[in-house]
Amino acid sequence: MATQTAQQRRDDAKLRFDAYLAGCPSRRLLDRIADKWVALVLKSLAAGPQRYSDLARQLAGVSQKMLTQTLRNLERDGLLTRTVTAEVPVRVDYELTPLGSSLGQLLGDLKSWAEEHMPDVDEARQRYDRRT
Amino acid sequence: MATQTAQQRRDDAKLRFDAYLAGCPSRRLLDRIADKWVALVLKSLAAGPQRYSDLARQLAGVSQKMLTQTLRNLERDGLLTRTVTAEVPVRVDYELTPLGSSLGQLLGDLKSWAEEHMPDVDEARQRYDRRT
DNA sequence: CCGTATCCTCCTCGATACTG
DNA sequence: CAGTATCGAGGAGGATACGG
């Protein structure tokens, strides 16, 4: 086998690291909950099942595309269920699964930390920006 | 004052919603910790102060640009301190502040949830992908 | 009512090269 | 050693129009 150049060794290390990140549960969780609309959808559904149009109304800034995409991903991950009722017009309800509720709890903890500590961050940021 | 069109009302609502999101502590926290390298930097520094080159070595996949940018942002937010020692060559140490350690704790909780529940997510995802 | 399909625009991130 | 500067590719997300 040939001797590797330094460049090859760096590339290899990077590939292994990327693979590690892709499988890392913590990283995957962060990527999931940081999706722009996930937290808001979960919060809305924490109050009980909601129709698609209810969600669209509460999340005033969301596009149809992103709302649907977010809901599909959450359904795929087993965090909520999608129920179609064949009325006219069609009715679709979304409801959290136990797993989804569990994630909602976690986000509640995050919210607590944020409300407690983000003011400190703001202060630090102002200090940093004022120093020349 | 003129009557608003439906379009104008939607645009207004969207603007207000975006403004709300920009100031929302939870949203800002999520945006911060979901930055690709933040969690890894915090984890490295949890073990004690590290030099720039130490961090670069441990985070095998990071570019200089992103490492520096991440460190600067964390410094600005008061989560770590940057100490330059005038040796030859220059030496720069990074160390967590109490606030930074606190955030590290929070990420630990996140990690626990991820390790406990992400297998369920994987299972749900496989079920979803198998149904035609 | 509940989506899908398409296009298009930022904007993040990485690669690369250079400096005190 | 520890950065800064610049450029370019790619993807996320929004606008819009259409379908079942």
Side-chain angles (χ1 to χ4, degrees), chain B residues 74-98:
Chain B
L74 292 175
E75 186 196 2
R76 178 167 181 252
D77 286 354
L79 298 169
L80 53 76
T81 58
R82 177 174 180 270
T83 312
V84 182
T85 310
E87 304 177 337
V88 178
V90 184
R91 172 198 181 99
V92 181
D93 286 89
Y94 292 91
E95 181 172 14
L96 288 187
T97 63

Short mmCIF file of all heavy atoms in Angstrom, two decimals, chain B residues 74-98:
data_model
loop_
_atom_site.label_atom_id
_atom_site.label_comp_id
_atom_site.label_asym_id
_atom_site.label_seq_id
_atom_site.Cartn_x
_atom_site.Cartn_y
_atom_site.Cartn_z
N LEU B 74 -19.13 33.09 19.91
CA LEU B 74 -19.30 32.62 21.27
C LEU B 74 -18.66 33.60 22.26
O LEU B 74 -19.18 33.82 23.36
CB LEU B 74 -18.68 31.23 21.43
CG LEU B 74 -19.42 30.12 20.67
CD1 LEU B 74 -18.67 28.79 20.79
CD2 LEU B 74 -20.84 29.97 21.20
N GLU B 75 -17.53 34.19 21.82
CA GLU B 75 -16.90 35.20 22.67
C GLU B 75 -17.82 36.41 22.81
O GLU B 75 -18.05 36.92 23.91
CB GLU B 75 -15.56 35.63 22.07
CG GLU B 75 -14.78 36.58 22.98
CD GLU B 75 -13.67 37.29 22.22
OE1 GLU B 75 -13.54 37.07 21.00
OE2 GLU B 75 -12.94 38.08 22.85
N ARG B 76 -18.36 36.83 21.71
CA ARG B 76 -19.26 37.99 21.70
C ARG B 76 -20.45 37.77 22.62
O ARG B 76 -20.91 38.69 23.30
CB ARG B 76 -19.74 38.24 20.27
CG ARG B 76 -20.71 39.39 20.12
CD ARG B 76 -20.91 39.78 18.66
NE ARG B 76 -21.81 40.90 18.54
CZ ARG B 76 -23.06 40.83 18.07
NH1 ARG B 76 -23.54 39.67 17.65
NH2 ARG B 76 -23.82 41.90 18.00
N ASP B 77 -20.95 36.55 22.65
CA ASP B 77 -22.12 36.25 23.48
C ASP B 77 -21.77 35.96 24.93
O ASP B 77 -22.64 35.59 25.72
CB ASP B 77 -22.87 35.05 22.88
CG ASP B 77 -23.63 35.44 21.62
OD1 ASP B 77 -23.65 36.64 21.29
OD2 ASP B 77 -24.20 34.53 20.98
N GLY B 78 -20.48 36.10 25.28
CA GLY B 78 -20.08 35.91 26.67
C GLY B 78 -20.04 34.45 27.10
O GLY B 78 -20.12 34.14 28.28
N LEU B 79 -19.92 33.54 26.16
CA LEU B 79 -19.92 32.12 26.49
C LEU B 79 -18.51 31.57 26.66
O LEU B 79 -18.32 30.53 27.27
CB LEU B 79 -20.66 31.34 25.40
CG LEU B 79 -22.14 31.75 25.26
CD1 LEU B 79 -22.74 31.15 24.01
CD2 LEU B 79 -22.92 31.31 26.48
N LEU B 80 -17.54 32.29 26.12
CA LEU B 80 -16.15 31.92 26.36
C LEU B 80 -15.26 33.15 26.32
O LEU B 80 -15.66 34.21 25.86
CB LEU B 80 -15.67 30.87 25.33
CG LEU B 80 -15.82 31.14 23.85
CD1 LEU B 80 -14.78 32.13 23.34
CD2 LEU B 80 -15.70 29.84 23.07
N THR B 81 -14.03 33.00 26.85
CA THR B 81 -13.07 34.10 26.84
C THR B 81 -11.90 33.74 25.94
O THR B 81 -11.56 32.57 25.80
CB THR B 81 -12.52 34.37 28.26
OG1 THR B 81 -11.92 33.17 28.75
CG2 THR B 81 -13.63 34.81 29.19
N ARG B 82 -11.32 34.77 25.35
CA ARG B 82 -10.18 34.60 24.46
C ARG B 82 -8.99 35.30 25.07
O ARG B 82 -9.05 36.50 25.35
CB ARG B 82 -10.54 35.20 23.09
CG ARG B 82 -9.44 35.17 22.07
CD ARG B 82 -9.98 35.67 20.73
NE ARG B 82 -8.96 35.66 19.70
CZ ARG B 82 -8.14 36.69 19.45
NH1 ARG B 82 -8.22 37.79 20.17
NH2 ARG B 82 -7.24 36.60 18.49
N THR B 83 -7.90 34.57 25.27
CA THR B 83 -6.73 35.14 25.92
C THR B 83 -5.51 35.00 25.02
O THR B 83 -5.12 33.89 24.68
CB THR B 83 -6.44 34.42 27.25
OG1 THR B 83 -7.66 34.34 28.00
CG2 THR B 83 -5.40 35.18 28.04
N VAL B 84 -4.93 36.13 24.64
CA VAL B 84 -3.75 36.13 23.79
C VAL B 84 -2.50 36.28 24.65
O VAL B 84 -2.42 37.20 25.47
CB VAL B 84 -3.81 37.29 22.78
CG1 VAL B 84 -2.59 37.25 21.87
CG2 VAL B 84 -5.09 37.23 21.98
N THR B 85 -1.55 35.38 24.47
CA THR B 85 -0.27 35.47 25.17
C THR B 85 0.81 35.82 24.16
O THR B 85 0.96 35.14 23.15
CB THR B 85 0.07 34.14 25.85
OG1 THR B 85 -1.04 33.68 26.61
CG2 THR B 85 1.28 34.31 26.76
N ALA B 86 1.55 36.88 24.46
CA ALA B 86 2.53 37.38 23.50
C ALA B 86 3.83 36.60 23.57
O ALA B 86 4.86 37.10 24.01
CB ALA B 86 2.78 38.87 23.74
N GLU B 87 3.78 35.35 23.16
CA GLU B 87 5.00 34.57 23.02
C GLU B 87 5.41 34.62 21.56
O GLU B 87 4.78 35.27 20.74
CB GLU B 87 4.73 33.11 23.40
CG GLU B 87 4.14 32.93 24.79
CD GLU B 87 3.82 31.47 25.07
OE1 GLU B 87 3.64 30.71 24.09
OE2 GLU B 87 3.77 31.10 26.25
N VAL B 88 6.51 33.91 21.24
CA VAL B 88 6.80 33.69 19.84
C VAL B 88 6.93 32.20 19.63
O VAL B 88 7.80 31.56 20.18
CB VAL B 88 8.13 34.37 19.41
CG1 VAL B 88 8.41 34.08 17.95
CG2 VAL B 88 8.08 35.87 19.68
N PRO B 89 6.01 31.62 18.84
CA PRO B 89 4.89 32.29 18.16
C PRO B 89 3.73 32.57 19.12
O PRO B 89 3.72 32.07 20.23
CB PRO B 89 4.50 31.28 17.08
CG PRO B 89 4.90 29.97 17.62
CD PRO B 89 6.06 30.19 18.56
N VAL B 90 2.78 33.32 18.61
CA VAL B 90 1.63 33.73 19.42
C VAL B 90 0.88 32.52 19.98
O VAL B 90 0.85 31.47 19.35
CB VAL B 90 0.67 34.56 18.57
CG1 VAL B 90 -0.49 35.07 19.41
CG2 VAL B 90 1.39 35.71 17.91
N ARG B 91 0.28 32.72 21.15
CA ARG B 91 -0.51 31.65 21.75
C ARG B 91 -1.85 32.23 22.15
O ARG B 91 -1.94 33.27 22.81
CB ARG B 91 0.23 31.14 22.99
CG ARG B 91 -0.57 30.15 23.82
CD ARG B 91 0.02 30.03 25.23
NE ARG B 91 -0.75 29.05 25.98
CZ ARG B 91 -0.38 27.78 26.16
NH1 ARG B 91 0.76 27.37 25.68
NH2 ARG B 91 -1.15 26.95 26.84
N VAL B 92 -2.93 31.54 21.76
CA VAL B 92 -4.28 32.01 22.09
C VAL B 92 -5.04 30.89 22.77
O VAL B 92 -5.16 29.79 22.22
CB VAL B 92 -5.04 32.45 20.82
CG1 VAL B 92 -6.43 32.94 21.19
CG2 VAL B 92 -4.27 33.53 20.07
N ASP B 93 -5.54 31.18 23.97
CA ASP B 93 -6.31 30.19 24.70
C ASP B 93 -7.78 30.59 24.78
O ASP B 93 -8.11 31.77 24.97
CB ASP B 93 -5.75 30.04 26.13
CG ASP B 93 -4.44 29.28 26.13
OD1 ASP B 93 -3.37 29.93 25.98
OD2 ASP B 93 -4.48 28.05 26.25
N TYR B 94 -8.62 29.58 24.68
CA TYR B 94 -10.06 29.78 24.83
C TYR B 94 -10.55 29.02 26.05
O TYR B 94 -10.13 27.89 26.28
CB TYR B 94 -10.80 29.30 23.57
CG TYR B 94 -10.51 30.15 22.36
CD1 TYR B 94 -9.47 29.84 21.49
CD2 TYR B 94 -11.27 31.29 22.10
CE1 TYR B 94 -9.20 30.64 20.39
CE2 TYR B 94 -11.00 32.08 21.00
CZ TYR B 94 -9.96 31.75 20.14
OH TYR B 94 -9.69 32.54 19.05
N GLU B 95 -11.45 29.67 26.80
CA GLU B 95 -11.93 29.04 28.03
C GLU B 95 -13.40 29.39 28.24
O GLU B 95 -13.81 30.53 27.99
CB GLU B 95 -11.10 29.55 29.22
CG GLU B 95 -11.51 28.93 30.54
CD GLU B 95 -10.53 29.31 31.66
OE1 GLU B 95 -9.71 30.24 31.45
OE2 GLU B 95 -10.59 28.67 32.73
N LEU B 96 -14.18 28.44 28.69
CA LEU B 96 -15.60 28.69 28.94
C LEU B 96 -15.80 29.65 30.10
O LEU B 96 -15.08 29.61 31.10
CB LEU B 96 -16.33 27.38 29.26
CG LEU B 96 -16.54 26.40 28.11
CD1 LEU B 96 -17.43 25.25 28.59
CD2 LEU B 96 -17.16 27.08 26.91
N THR B 97 -16.79 30.52 29.97
CA THR B 97 -17.25 31.31 31.10
C THR B 97 -18.29 30.47 31.85
O THR B 97 -18.72 29.42 31.35
CB THR B 97 -17.93 32.59 30.62
OG1 THR B 97 -19.08 32.25 29.85
CG2 THR B 97 -16.99 33.42 29.77
N PRO B 98 -18.71 30.91 33.04
CA PRO B 98 -19.81 30.21 33.74
C PRO B 98 -21.05 30.09 32.84
O PRO B 98 -21.69 29.04 32.80
CB PRO B 98 -20.09 31.11 34.94
CG PRO B 98 -18.77 31.75 35.24
CD PRO B 98 -18.13 31.97 33.90
#
